[in-house]
Amino acid sequence: MSEPSRGLNAPARRMPPPQLIALREAHLADAVRLSAALDWPYREADWRFAFDLGQGFAAQAGGRLVATAMWWPYGRTHASVGMIIVDARMQGQGLGRALVSSLLDAARDRTVLLNSTKEGLPLYAQFGFVARGRVFQHQAAMDGTVALAAAPVPAGVRPMHAADAGKVRQLDLAATGMDRTALLDALFGAGTTMVLDRGTGASAYACMREFGRGLVIGPVVASGADAAADATGLIAALARLARGRFLRIDVTDAAGLSPWLEKSGLPCVGSAVAMVRETRAHPVDSRATARLFALSNQSFG
């Protein structure tokens, strides 16, 4: 939005230099304004969910929130960063660089993951992040034309029980190599979690919760020779519960589910580049014994 005319001889009004401070709960309502300007569908409840799990930085200028950045620790070895937003009027002043630098200083020697827009790639590359794949965002209103809710659901799919929590955490660790206990516990309490149990305990799991315009499915993790079929079965089971709602799911390219979702009536509406900044102390473990098919969120994985 342009400023009203001030006259040819009137001095231009400039925003004061931004101050970097800790992101606080009081910032969340204004953070919704920043994310909405990028067409991100985050509600204040979504910001609060992220805020309760992590920590971050904010920039203020003239008493107004003009930038945010957050990070989420996964034990002492890994972290993810996201919610990096700079008001359009403050771009080009090095604020994004200062925010990323502050996040990495806070994460210390952890290996750090993020999902980048096309615009953010040059900045993150300067900090040592390298691309390691893509994430595809699929979404649609779950009306009667979406075939996903009618996809086959394998025997053994059931709601998660409290006794499954330990096995689900083990599956997640096997897929990601990260201790995401805090995230998983928050997800268990925020929505619906389904598992696949063929009599020996959970061999796959998937979560669904309120997010953005409706519901989001993720994470989805499965193991074994039939991991892909198990993952699609769990997604279909949750999609049935989402009938009549808007549904989103973010899948990795390595998962190979993007074409299936397209055919099932959930089109791909965008993508991000998955990046990692690996440290010597905590290199990426490529010996995963389970697979991550869908993310809980593009910011915190």
Side-chain angles (χ1 to χ4, degrees), residues 121-186:
L121 292 174
L123 173 62
Y124 300 132
Q126 290 173 20
F127 281 95
F129 284 90
V130 296
R132 63 165 197 174
R134 298 191 73 85
V135 175
F136 300 106
Q137 178 182 334
H138 290 258
Q139 62 188 40
M142 294 295 291
D143 57 26
T145 66
V146 179
L148 180 59
V153 176
V157 171
R158 60 168 174 80
M160 175 182 157
H161 302 152
D164 298 315
K167 189 65 178 290
V168 168
R169 293 189 189 102
Q170 291 175 9
L171 278 168
D172 193 81
L173 178 62
T176 67
M178 299 183 289
D179 179 3
R180 306 201 304 174
T181 300
L183 171 60
L184 292 173
D185 287 348

Short mmCIF file of all heavy atoms in Angstrom, two decimals, residues 121-186:
data_model
loop_
_atom_site.label_atom_id
_atom_site.label_comp_id
_atom_site.label_asym_id
_atom_site.label_seq_id
_atom_site.Cartn_x
_atom_site.Cartn_y
_atom_site.Cartn_z
N LEU A 121 16.71 -19.17 -1.46
CA LEU A 121 17.84 -20.06 -1.72
C LEU A 121 19.20 -19.38 -1.69
O LEU A 121 20.13 -19.90 -1.05
CB LEU A 121 17.64 -20.76 -3.08
CG LEU A 121 16.49 -21.77 -3.16
CD1 LEU A 121 16.33 -22.27 -4.59
CD2 LEU A 121 16.75 -22.94 -2.22
N PRO A 122 19.39 -18.23 -2.33
CA PRO A 122 20.73 -17.62 -2.31
C PRO A 122 21.20 -17.28 -0.90
O PRO A 122 22.38 -17.48 -0.57
CB PRO A 122 20.56 -16.36 -3.17
CG PRO A 122 19.39 -16.65 -4.05
CD PRO A 122 18.47 -17.48 -3.21
N LEU A 123 20.30 -16.76 -0.07
CA LEU A 123 20.68 -16.40 1.29
C LEU A 123 21.11 -17.63 2.08
O LEU A 123 22.17 -17.63 2.72
CB LEU A 123 19.52 -15.71 2.00
CG LEU A 123 19.72 -15.43 3.50
CD1 LEU A 123 20.90 -14.49 3.72
CD2 LEU A 123 18.45 -14.87 4.12
N TYR A 124 20.32 -18.69 2.02
CA TYR A 124 20.65 -19.88 2.81
C TYR A 124 21.92 -20.55 2.31
O TYR A 124 22.71 -21.08 3.11
CB TYR A 124 19.47 -20.85 2.79
CG TYR A 124 18.20 -20.26 3.36
CD1 TYR A 124 16.99 -20.37 2.70
CD2 TYR A 124 18.23 -19.56 4.57
CE1 TYR A 124 15.83 -19.81 3.23
CE2 TYR A 124 17.08 -18.99 5.09
CZ TYR A 124 15.88 -19.12 4.41
OH TYR A 124 14.75 -18.56 4.93
N ALA A 125 22.15 -20.51 1.01
CA ALA A 125 23.38 -21.08 0.46
C ALA A 125 24.61 -20.37 1.02
O ALA A 125 25.64 -20.99 1.26
CB ALA A 125 23.36 -21.02 -1.06
N GLN A 126 24.50 -19.07 1.24
CA GLN A 126 25.63 -18.32 1.79
C GLN A 126 25.97 -18.75 3.22
O GLN A 126 27.10 -18.56 3.67
CB GLN A 126 25.30 -16.82 1.76
CG GLN A 126 25.27 -16.24 0.36
CD GLN A 126 24.78 -14.80 0.34
OE1 GLN A 126 24.81 -14.13 1.37
NE2 GLN A 126 24.33 -14.34 -0.81
N PHE A 127 25.01 -19.34 3.91
CA PHE A 127 25.25 -19.82 5.27
C PHE A 127 25.63 -21.31 5.30
O PHE A 127 25.70 -21.90 6.37
CB PHE A 127 24.01 -19.60 6.14
CG PHE A 127 23.87 -18.18 6.63
CD1 PHE A 127 23.09 -17.27 5.96
CD2 PHE A 127 24.54 -17.77 7.78
CE1 PHE A 127 22.96 -15.96 6.41
CE2 PHE A 127 24.42 -16.47 8.24
CZ PHE A 127 23.63 -15.55 7.55
N GLY A 128 25.84 -21.90 4.14
CA GLY A 128 26.30 -23.28 4.09
C GLY A 128 25.20 -24.31 3.95
O GLY A 128 25.48 -25.52 4.02
N PHE A 129 23.96 -23.90 3.72
CA PHE A 129 22.88 -24.86 3.49
C PHE A 129 22.99 -25.41 2.07
O PHE A 129 23.31 -24.68 1.12
CB PHE A 129 21.51 -24.19 3.65
CG PHE A 129 21.11 -23.95 5.08
CD1 PHE A 129 21.45 -22.76 5.71
CD2 PHE A 129 20.41 -24.90 5.79
CE1 PHE A 129 21.08 -22.51 7.02
CE2 PHE A 129 20.03 -24.67 7.11
CZ PHE A 129 20.37 -23.48 7.73
N VAL A 130 22.72 -26.70 1.93
CA VAL A 130 22.71 -27.33 0.61
C VAL A 130 21.37 -28.01 0.39
O VAL A 130 20.73 -28.51 1.33
CB VAL A 130 23.86 -28.36 0.47
CG1 VAL A 130 25.21 -27.67 0.55
CG2 VAL A 130 23.75 -29.45 1.52
N ALA A 131 20.93 -28.04 -0.87
CA ALA A 131 19.65 -28.68 -1.21
C ALA A 131 19.76 -30.18 -1.07
O ALA A 131 20.79 -30.78 -1.39
CB ALA A 131 19.25 -28.29 -2.63
N ARG A 132 18.67 -30.78 -0.59
CA ARG A 132 18.68 -32.25 -0.48
C ARG A 132 17.35 -32.85 -0.92
O ARG A 132 17.03 -33.99 -0.58
CB ARG A 132 18.97 -32.68 0.96
CG ARG A 132 17.92 -32.25 1.96
CD ARG A 132 18.07 -33.02 3.25
NE ARG A 132 16.87 -32.93 4.06
CZ ARG A 132 16.68 -33.59 5.19
NH1 ARG A 132 17.62 -34.41 5.62
NH2 ARG A 132 15.56 -33.48 5.87
N GLY A 133 16.57 -32.11 -1.69
CA GLY A 133 15.31 -32.63 -2.19
C GLY A 133 14.25 -31.54 -2.23
O GLY A 133 14.55 -30.35 -2.07
N ARG A 134 13.01 -31.98 -2.44
CA ARG A 134 11.90 -31.03 -2.51
C ARG A 134 10.75 -31.52 -1.65
O ARG A 134 10.65 -32.71 -1.32
CB ARG A 134 11.42 -30.83 -3.95
CG ARG A 134 12.48 -30.26 -4.88
CD ARG A 134 11.90 -29.84 -6.21
NE ARG A 134 11.09 -28.63 -6.09
CZ ARG A 134 11.59 -27.41 -6.14
NH1 ARG A 134 12.90 -27.22 -6.28
NH2 ARG A 134 10.81 -26.36 -6.05
N VAL A 135 9.90 -30.57 -1.32
CA VAL A 135 8.65 -30.86 -0.60
C VAL A 135 7.51 -30.33 -1.46
O VAL A 135 7.55 -29.17 -1.91
CB VAL A 135 8.63 -30.19 0.79
CG1 VAL A 135 7.28 -30.39 1.45
CG2 VAL A 135 9.75 -30.74 1.66
N PHE A 136 6.50 -31.17 -1.67
CA PHE A 136 5.37 -30.79 -2.51
C PHE A 136 4.12 -30.59 -1.65
O PHE A 136 3.75 -31.47 -0.87
CB PHE A 136 5.11 -31.86 -3.56
CG PHE A 136 6.27 -32.09 -4.48
CD1 PHE A 136 7.05 -33.23 -4.37
CD2 PHE A 136 6.60 -31.16 -5.45
CE1 PHE A 136 8.13 -33.44 -5.20
CE2 PHE A 136 7.69 -31.36 -6.29
CZ PHE A 136 8.45 -32.50 -6.17
N GLN A 137 3.50 -29.43 -1.83
CA GLN A 137 2.29 -29.09 -1.07
C GLN A 137 1.05 -29.45 -1.88
O GLN A 137 0.83 -28.91 -2.97
CB GLN A 137 2.28 -27.59 -0.73
CG GLN A 137 1.05 -27.13 0.02
CD GLN A 137 1.06 -25.63 0.27
OE1 GLN A 137 2.13 -25.02 0.34
NE2 GLN A 137 -0.10 -25.04 0.41
N HIS A 138 0.23 -30.34 -1.34
CA HIS A 138 -1.02 -30.76 -1.98
C HIS A 138 -2.18 -30.33 -1.10
O HIS A 138 -2.12 -30.46 0.13
CB HIS A 138 -1.04 -32.28 -2.15
CG HIS A 138 -0.08 -32.79 -3.18
ND1 HIS A 138 -0.48 -33.16 -4.45
CD2 HIS A 138 1.25 -32.99 -3.12
CE1 HIS A 138 0.58 -33.56 -5.13
NE2 HIS A 138 1.65 -33.48 -4.34
N GLN A 139 -3.26 -29.89 -1.73
CA GLN A 139 -4.41 -29.48 -0.95
C GLN A 139 -5.66 -29.39 -1.81
O GLN A 139 -5.58 -29.22 -3.03
CB GLN A 139 -4.16 -28.14 -0.27
CG GLN A 139 -3.93 -26.98 -1.23
CD GLN A 139 -3.51 -25.72 -0.51
OE1 GLN A 139 -2.71 -25.75 0.44
NE2 GLN A 139 -4.03 -24.57 -0.95
N ALA A 140 -6.82 -29.52 -1.15
CA ALA A 140 -8.10 -29.40 -1.82
C ALA A 140 -9.21 -29.45 -0.79
O ALA A 140 -9.01 -29.93 0.34
CB ALA A 140 -8.30 -30.52 -2.85
N ALA A 141 -10.37 -28.96 -1.18
CA ALA A 141 -11.56 -29.13 -0.36
C ALA A 141 -12.05 -30.56 -0.57
O ALA A 141 -12.19 -31.02 -1.70
CB ALA A 141 -12.63 -28.13 -0.77
N MET A 142 -12.30 -31.26 0.54
CA MET A 142 -12.66 -32.67 0.45
C MET A 142 -14.16 -32.83 0.19
O MET A 142 -14.93 -33.28 1.05
CB MET A 142 -12.24 -33.38 1.75
CG MET A 142 -10.74 -33.43 1.96
SD MET A 142 -9.92 -34.46 0.71
CE MET A 142 -10.51 -36.07 1.19
N ASP A 143 -14.55 -32.47 -1.03
CA ASP A 143 -15.94 -32.66 -1.41
C ASP A 143 -16.10 -34.04 -2.05
O ASP A 143 -15.17 -34.85 -2.06
CB ASP A 143 -16.40 -31.55 -2.36
CG ASP A 143 -15.54 -31.46 -3.62
OD1 ASP A 143 -14.94 -32.48 -4.02
OD2 ASP A 143 -15.46 -30.36 -4.19
N GLY A 144 -17.24 -34.30 -2.62
CA GLY A 144 -17.52 -35.63 -3.14
C GLY A 144 -16.72 -36.00 -4.37
O GLY A 144 -16.73 -37.17 -4.78
N THR A 145 -16.01 -35.05 -4.98
CA THR A 145 -15.25 -35.35 -6.19
C THR A 145 -13.83 -35.82 -5.89
O THR A 145 -13.13 -36.28 -6.80
CB THR A 145 -15.17 -34.10 -7.09
OG1 THR A 145 -14.39 -33.09 -6.43
CG2 THR A 145 -16.55 -33.54 -7.38
N VAL A 146 -13.39 -35.70 -4.64
CA VAL A 146 -12.02 -36.08 -4.28
C VAL A 146 -11.98 -37.57 -3.96
O VAL A 146 -12.61 -38.04 -3.00
CB VAL A 146 -11.51 -35.25 -3.08
CG1 VAL A 146 -10.10 -35.69 -2.70
CG2 VAL A 146 -11.52 -33.77 -3.43
N ALA A 147 -11.22 -38.32 -4.76
CA ALA A 147 -11.19 -39.77 -4.63
C ALA A 147 -10.35 -40.24 -3.45
O ALA A 147 -10.42 -41.42 -3.07
CB ALA A 147 -10.65 -40.40 -5.91
N LEU A 148 -9.55 -39.36 -2.86
CA LEU A 148 -8.64 -39.76 -1.80
C LEU A 148 -9.36 -40.44 -0.65
O LEU A 148 -8.88 -41.45 -0.10
CB LEU A 148 -7.87 -38.54 -1.28
CG LEU A 148 -6.86 -38.78 -0.16
CD1 LEU A 148 -5.78 -39.77 -0.60
CD2 LEU A 148 -6.23 -37.48 0.28
N ALA A 149 -10.53 -39.92 -0.27
CA ALA A 149 -11.26 -40.49 0.86
C ALA A 149 -11.81 -41.88 0.57
O ALA A 149 -12.24 -42.58 1.50
CB ALA A 149 -12.41 -39.56 1.27
N ALA A 150 -11.82 -42.28 -0.71
CA ALA A 150 -12.31 -43.61 -1.07
C ALA A 150 -11.18 -44.59 -1.34
O ALA A 150 -11.44 -45.74 -1.71
CB ALA A 150 -13.21 -43.50 -2.30
N ALA A 151 -9.94 -44.16 -1.16
CA ALA A 151 -8.80 -45.06 -1.40
C ALA A 151 -8.80 -46.19 -0.38
O ALA A 151 -9.31 -46.05 0.73
CB ALA A 151 -7.50 -44.26 -1.31
N PRO A 152 -8.21 -47.33 -0.74
CA PRO A 152 -8.22 -48.48 0.16
C PRO A 152 -7.50 -48.23 1.48
O PRO A 152 -6.47 -47.55 1.50
CB PRO A 152 -7.50 -49.57 -0.64
CG PRO A 152 -7.57 -49.12 -2.06
CD PRO A 152 -7.57 -47.63 -2.04
N VAL A 153 -8.06 -48.75 2.54
CA VAL A 153 -7.44 -48.68 3.87
C VAL A 153 -7.10 -50.10 4.30
O VAL A 153 -7.99 -50.94 4.40
CB VAL A 153 -8.38 -48.02 4.89
CG1 VAL A 153 -7.77 -48.04 6.29
CG2 VAL A 153 -8.71 -46.58 4.48
N PRO A 154 -5.83 -50.40 4.55
CA PRO A 154 -5.45 -51.78 4.89
C PRO A 154 -5.96 -52.20 6.26
O PRO A 154 -6.20 -51.37 7.14
CB PRO A 154 -3.92 -51.74 4.86
CG PRO A 154 -3.56 -50.31 5.10
CD PRO A 154 -4.66 -49.51 4.49
N ALA A 155 -6.12 -53.49 6.43
CA ALA A 155 -6.49 -54.03 7.74
C ALA A 155 -5.38 -53.70 8.73
O ALA A 155 -4.20 -53.69 8.38
CB ALA A 155 -6.68 -55.54 7.65
N GLY A 156 -5.76 -53.40 9.94
CA GLY A 156 -4.78 -53.07 10.97
C GLY A 156 -4.66 -51.59 11.24
O GLY A 156 -3.98 -51.19 12.19
N VAL A 157 -5.29 -50.74 10.43
CA VAL A 157 -5.29 -49.31 10.70
C VAL A 157 -6.29 -49.03 11.83
O VAL A 157 -7.44 -49.43 11.76
CB VAL A 157 -5.67 -48.50 9.45
CG1 VAL A 157 -5.87 -47.03 9.80
CG2 VAL A 157 -4.58 -48.62 8.39
N ARG A 158 -5.82 -48.33 12.85
CA ARG A 158 -6.67 -48.04 14.01
C ARG A 158 -6.19 -46.76 14.68
O ARG A 158 -5.05 -46.30 14.43
CB ARG A 158 -6.63 -49.20 15.01
CG ARG A 158 -5.25 -49.50 15.56
CD ARG A 158 -5.30 -50.44 16.74
NE ARG A 158 -3.98 -50.86 17.21
CZ ARG A 158 -3.17 -50.14 17.98
NH1 ARG A 158 -3.53 -48.91 18.35
NH2 ARG A 158 -2.00 -50.61 18.37
N PRO A 159 -7.01 -46.16 15.54
CA PRO A 159 -6.55 -44.99 16.29
C PRO A 159 -5.39 -45.38 17.21
O PRO A 159 -5.32 -46.50 17.73
CB PRO A 159 -7.78 -44.58 17.10
CG PRO A 159 -8.94 -45.16 16.37
CD PRO A 159 -8.44 -46.44 15.77
N MET A 160 -4.49 -44.46 17.41
CA MET A 160 -3.36 -44.67 18.31
C MET A 160 -3.84 -44.76 19.75
O MET A 160 -4.72 -44.00 20.17
CB MET A 160 -2.37 -43.52 18.16
CG MET A 160 -1.21 -43.57 19.13
SD MET A 160 -0.10 -42.15 18.92
CE MET A 160 0.68 -42.12 20.53
N HIS A 161 -3.27 -45.69 20.51
CA HIS A 161 -3.52 -45.81 21.94
C HIS A 161 -2.32 -45.25 22.71
O HIS A 161 -1.22 -45.13 22.15
CB HIS A 161 -3.73 -47.27 22.33
CG HIS A 161 -4.86 -47.93 21.61
ND1 HIS A 161 -4.89 -49.29 21.35
CD2 HIS A 161 -5.99 -47.41 21.05
CE1 HIS A 161 -6.00 -49.58 20.69
NE2 HIS A 161 -6.67 -48.45 20.50
N ALA A 162 -2.53 -44.95 23.96
CA ALA A 162 -1.44 -44.42 24.78
C ALA A 162 -0.24 -45.37 24.78
O ALA A 162 0.92 -44.93 24.80
CB ALA A 162 -1.93 -44.15 26.19
N ALA A 163 -0.51 -46.68 24.74
CA ALA A 163 0.56 -47.66 24.79
C ALA A 163 1.40 -47.67 23.51
O ALA A 163 2.50 -48.24 23.48
CB ALA A 163 -0.03 -49.06 25.01
N ASP A 164 0.91 -47.03 22.45
CA ASP A 164 1.65 -46.99 21.18
C ASP A 164 2.71 -45.89 21.15
O ASP A 164 3.54 -45.86 20.24
CB ASP A 164 0.69 -46.73 20.01
CG ASP A 164 -0.35 -47.82 19.83
OD1 ASP A 164 0.03 -49.00 19.89
OD2 ASP A 164 -1.52 -47.47 19.63
N ALA A 165 2.66 -44.97 22.11
CA ALA A 165 3.49 -43.77 22.03
C ALA A 165 4.97 -44.10 21.90
O ALA A 165 5.69 -43.49 21.09
CB ALA A 165 3.24 -42.88 23.24
N GLY A 166 5.45 -45.05 22.68
CA GLY A 166 6.87 -45.39 22.63
C GLY A 166 7.28 -45.92 21.27
O GLY A 166 8.33 -45.54 20.72
N LYS A 167 6.46 -46.79 20.70
CA LYS A 167 6.77 -47.36 19.38
C LYS A 167 6.72 -46.28 18.30
O LYS A 167 7.56 -46.27 17.38
CB LYS A 167 5.78 -48.47 19.06
CG LYS A 167 6.13 -49.29 17.81
CD LYS A 167 7.42 -50.07 17.98
CE LYS A 167 7.73 -50.93 16.75
NZ LYS A 167 6.81 -52.06 16.59
N VAL A 168 5.77 -45.38 18.39
CA VAL A 168 5.68 -44.30 17.41
C VAL A 168 6.92 -43.41 17.48
O VAL A 168 7.47 -43.00 16.46
CB VAL A 168 4.39 -43.48 17.63
CG1 VAL A 168 4.41 -42.19 16.82
CG2 VAL A 168 3.17 -44.32 17.24
N ARG A 169 7.37 -43.10 18.69
CA ARG A 169 8.59 -42.29 18.83
C ARG A 169 9.79 -43.00 18.21
O ARG A 169 10.65 -42.38 17.59
CB ARG A 169 8.84 -41.97 20.30
CG ARG A 169 7.80 -41.04 20.93
CD ARG A 169 8.22 -40.61 22.31
NE ARG A 169 7.15 -39.89 23.00
CZ ARG A 169 6.36 -40.42 23.93
NH1 ARG A 169 6.56 -41.68 24.33
NH2 ARG A 169 5.42 -39.70 24.49
N GLN A 170 9.87 -44.32 18.40
CA GLN A 170 10.96 -45.09 17.81
C GLN A 170 10.91 -45.05 16.29
O GLN A 170 11.94 -44.92 15.61
CB GLN A 170 10.91 -46.53 18.30
CG GLN A 170 11.24 -46.71 19.77
CD GLN A 170 11.05 -48.15 20.24
OE1 GLN A 170 10.81 -49.06 19.43
NE2 GLN A 170 11.13 -48.35 21.54
N LEU A 171 9.69 -45.16 15.73
CA LEU A 171 9.53 -45.09 14.28
C LEU A 171 9.99 -43.74 13.75
O LEU A 171 10.68 -43.65 12.73
CB LEU A 171 8.06 -45.30 13.91
CG LEU A 171 7.53 -46.73 13.84
CD1 LEU A 171 6.01 -46.72 13.74
CD2 LEU A 171 8.13 -47.46 12.64
N ASP A 172 9.59 -42.69 14.44
CA ASP A 172 9.95 -41.35 14.00
C ASP A 172 11.46 -41.14 14.06
O ASP A 172 12.06 -40.57 13.14
CB ASP A 172 9.24 -40.31 14.87
CG ASP A 172 9.32 -38.92 14.28
OD1 ASP A 172 8.51 -38.62 13.38
OD2 ASP A 172 10.20 -38.15 14.69
N LEU A 173 12.09 -41.61 15.12
CA LEU A 173 13.54 -41.51 15.24
C LEU A 173 14.23 -42.30 14.14
O LEU A 173 15.23 -41.84 13.55
CB LEU A 173 13.98 -42.01 16.61
CG LEU A 173 15.49 -42.02 16.89
CD1 LEU A 173 16.06 -40.60 16.82
CD2 LEU A 173 15.78 -42.63 18.26
N ALA A 174 13.69 -43.49 13.81
CA ALA A 174 14.29 -44.31 12.76
C ALA A 174 14.17 -43.64 11.39
O ALA A 174 15.03 -43.81 10.52
CB ALA A 174 13.61 -45.67 12.72
N ALA A 175 13.12 -42.82 11.19
CA ALA A 175 12.91 -42.16 9.90
C ALA A 175 13.67 -40.86 9.78
O ALA A 175 14.16 -40.52 8.70
CB ALA A 175 11.42 -41.91 9.69
N THR A 176 13.79 -40.11 10.87
CA THR A 176 14.36 -38.77 10.80
C THR A 176 15.75 -38.66 11.38
O THR A 176 16.48 -37.71 11.08
CB THR A 176 13.46 -37.76 11.53
OG1 THR A 176 13.47 -38.06 12.95
CG2 THR A 176 12.02 -37.82 11.02
N GLY A 177 16.13 -39.59 12.27
CA GLY A 177 17.40 -39.49 12.97
C GLY A 177 17.42 -38.41 14.02
O GLY A 177 18.49 -38.04 14.52
N MET A 178 16.24 -37.90 14.40
CA MET A 178 16.15 -36.79 15.35
C MET A 178 15.22 -37.14 16.50
O MET A 178 14.22 -37.84 16.31
CB MET A 178 15.64 -35.52 14.65
CG MET A 178 16.53 -35.03 13.54
SD MET A 178 15.93 -33.48 12.79
CE MET A 178 14.49 -34.05 11.90
N ASP A 179 15.54 -36.62 17.67
CA ASP A 179 14.68 -36.79 18.83
C ASP A 179 13.59 -35.73 18.78
O ASP A 179 13.79 -34.59 19.19
CB ASP A 179 15.50 -36.66 20.12
CG ASP A 179 14.65 -36.79 21.38
OD1 ASP A 179 13.43 -37.04 21.25
OD2 ASP A 179 15.19 -36.63 22.48
N ARG A 180 12.41 -36.11 18.28
CA ARG A 180 11.31 -35.16 18.11
C ARG A 180 10.20 -35.42 19.14
O ARG A 180 9.02 -35.21 18.86
CB ARG A 180 10.77 -35.22 16.69
CG ARG A 180 11.84 -35.02 15.63
CD ARG A 180 11.27 -34.59 14.29
NE ARG A 180 10.25 -35.48 13.76
CZ ARG A 180 9.54 -35.22 12.66
NH1 ARG A 180 9.75 -34.08 12.01
NH2 ARG A 180 8.64 -36.07 12.22
N THR A 181 10.58 -35.85 20.33
CA THR A 181 9.61 -36.20 21.37
C THR A 181 8.65 -35.06 21.66
O THR A 181 7.42 -35.27 21.74
CB THR A 181 10.33 -36.63 22.66
OG1 THR A 181 11.15 -37.78 22.38
CG2 THR A 181 9.33 -36.98 23.74
N ALA A 182 9.16 -33.85 21.83
CA ALA A 182 8.30 -32.72 22.17
C ALA A 182 7.29 -32.46 21.06
O ALA A 182 6.10 -32.21 21.33
CB ALA A 182 9.14 -31.48 22.44
N LEU A 183 7.74 -32.50 19.81
CA LEU A 183 6.83 -32.29 18.69
C LEU A 183 5.76 -33.37 18.65
O LEU A 183 4.56 -33.08 18.49
CB LEU A 183 7.61 -32.28 17.38
CG LEU A 183 6.78 -32.28 16.09
CD1 LEU A 183 5.88 -31.05 16.01
CD2 LEU A 183 7.69 -32.38 14.86
N LEU A 184 6.17 -34.62 18.78
CA LEU A 184 5.21 -35.71 18.72
C LEU A 184 4.18 -35.63 19.84
O LEU A 184 2.98 -35.81 19.62
CB LEU A 184 5.93 -37.06 18.76
CG LEU A 184 6.79 -37.38 17.53
CD1 LEU A 184 7.58 -38.66 17.77
CD2 LEU A 184 5.93 -37.50 16.29
N ASP A 185 4.63 -35.33 21.04
CA ASP A 185 3.69 -35.22 22.16
C ASP A 185 2.68 -34.11 21.90
O ASP A 185 1.48 -34.24 22.20
CB ASP A 185 4.44 -34.96 23.46
CG ASP A 185 5.18 -36.18 23.97
OD1 ASP A 185 4.94 -37.29 23.44
OD2 ASP A 185 6.01 -36.04 24.89
N ALA A 186 3.14 -33.00 21.31
CA ALA A 186 2.23 -31.90 20.99
C ALA A 186 1.23 -32.33 19.91
O ALA A 186 0.04 -32.00 19.99
CB ALA A 186 3.01 -30.68 20.54
#
